[in-house]
Every structure is written in C-alpha cells, then in structure tokens.
Amino acid sequence: IEGDSKVVDLCRAAQLGGGSDPAAFTSMIALIEAGEKAWDAARSLTANPPVEAVLDSIQCKLLSPLPMPTQVRDFLCFEGHLIGAFRGVAKLAAKLAGAGEDELKEIDTREEWAIPEIWYEQPLYYIAGRTEIAGHDDIIQRPSYCRYFDYELEFAAVIGKPGRDISSQEARGHIFGYTIYNDWSARDEQIKAMRGMLGPG
C-alpha cells in the first residue's frame, strides 16, 4: 500500500479486525483456495488496515508470491516468441557444433521458420518443476554443468477457480491474478535432452 512503501500483514490484520479467518491469509495458496469471500476480506483489510498490522516495506523481504505452486505449465503464447526460440536454439546448436560467424549470421537473418501446424490449433506447453521457485532478489544458482545459462522474461496467469472444459469466453473468470515469471534454462543441456523426444527437463 501507499505506493509500495508499506506492507499489510493480512494475518495480523484479520486477527485484530475480527470477522475474517486468519488461516486464509497464511499463504497465497491458502488465500486462493479460500475463495472469493476471503479475497473480498483481503481487499477490505488492505483498504483500511489496523495500524498494528502495517509494516514498512524496508522491514520486509519479498518472497515469491507462490513459493510452491500447485503446478506450473509454461506456454509459447505468441508467434514472435516461437520464432525467437527457434532462432536461439538453432544458434546455440550451431555454436556447440563449432559453427563459424557466417553460419551464425545466416541464422540471425533467416526469415523463414517452419512453425508446426499444431501450434495454431491448440495451446502448447511443457510442465515445469514447481519446487525451485525463486523470490525477489534471490540468487539464481547456475548449474555447474551448464555453459549457456539463459532466462526469459515472462508473466504468469495464476488460476484461482477450478474448472473443466472451460471455454475461451469463460477463461478470464478463472484467473486469480498475474505475476512476473522469469524462466531460467540451462540451454546446452536442454538441447541435448530434447533429442530424446520427451521435451525439456
């Protein structure tokens, strides 16, 4: 609150304010699973918090909003990203094979990339690990075996309401919120692993 200069401890605010179950505010997963009544209570407590539940931001360490999400599915959502991924993987594979500058330049300037038809027909994703989620200012450890460590600046849509066979018109109503999601990859290992046809590891 207050331009990010203050933080409301919702658990403490619920204990002091009464009328809300503090258990709903013990984690983001707890809040999501508690449902819309708890979300409304969080908005209310944030809008008018008890003074004793307000901290200076400088006192707080920002953790990942979802330190261990229920699951993570990482999508290729737009064509430009897909072409960029193809180009990046092709360049890295060429480098690992000892390609010269001319070959790398050709990859950089190539306009035509064969995009599989299935990409236009349905959402494509891989299931990512959920136990290694880092927070703000955390140090990301490069694996000792990795020579080409890479990240992509991405965003995550956090699903808040369960559902099945959800239409595109109804999908937005199932999203709890959004967060930054930087996806780190050991690219040289990824290229080797994907030759096994089981996707990235």
Side-chain angles (χ1 to χ4, degrees):
I1 62 171
E2 297 184 24
D4 291 345
S5 65
K6 306 279 186 188
V7 171
V8 179
D9 179 342
L10 288 175
C11 240
R12 181 88 174 116
Q15 288 166 349
L16 293 166
S20 299
D21 181 7
F25 307 119
T26 55
S27 73
M28 223 33 190
I29 295 284
L31 177 59
I32 291 168
E33 291 178 348
E36 292 192 47
K37 187 176 176 185
W39 307 348
D40 289 340
R43 290 184 193 100
S44 177
L45 290 167
T46 304
N48 190 24
V51 175
E52 302 91 331
V54 177
L55 304 165
D56 288 322
S57 291
I58 202 163
Q59 296 174 265
C60 304
K61 173 174 170 48
L62 288 179
L63 305 176
S64 163
L66 294 166
M68 193 178 294
T70 306
Q71 61 178 298
V72 179
R73 293 183 176 182
D74 198 317
F75 291 80
L76 269 168
C77 292
F78 57 96
E79 199 176 62
H81 185 189
L82 182 62
I83 291 168
F86 284 165
R87 181 175 285 120
V89 167
K91 278 184 73 175
L92 181 53
K95 277 183 187 176
L96 292 172
E101 285 301 313
D102 289 344
E103 190 175 341
L104 296 175
K105 196 175 288 184
E106 184 278 324
I107 292 169
D108 259 338
T109 56
R110 191 184 304 165
E111 294 293 328
E112 294 298 318
W113 295 90
I115 297 175
E117 279 302 312
I118 188 136
W119 188 82
Y120 296 100
E121 295 167 3
Q122 67 184 66
L124 299 179
Y125 62 87
Y126 71 91
I127 298 174
R130 66 188 190 93
T131 60
E132 293 296 323
I133 307 294
H136 183 67
D137 283 340
D138 281 352
I139 305 272
I140 307 297
Q141 183 78 38
R142 180 178 65 84
S144 59
Y145 53 78
C146 170
R147 289 170 50 211
Y148 293 94
F149 202 38
D150 185 24
Y151 79 95
E152 296 168 274
L153 174 61
E154 301 179 1
F155 73 95
V158 179
I159 305 303
K161 293 181 188 175
R164 186 181 295 270
D165 297 329
I166 300 161
S167 70
S168 56
Q169 292 80 14
E170 296 172 318
R172 192 175 297 256
H174 289 262
I175 296 173
F176 173 80
Y178 300 90
T179 187
I180 294 169
Y181 175 66
N182 295 332
D183 172 22
W184 292 83
S185 300
R187 292 293 184 202
D188 42 352
E189 290 299 309
Q190 178 185 350
I191 285 172
K192 286 191 282 186
M194 288 180 74
R195 292 179 195 143
M197 304 298 288
L198 288 176

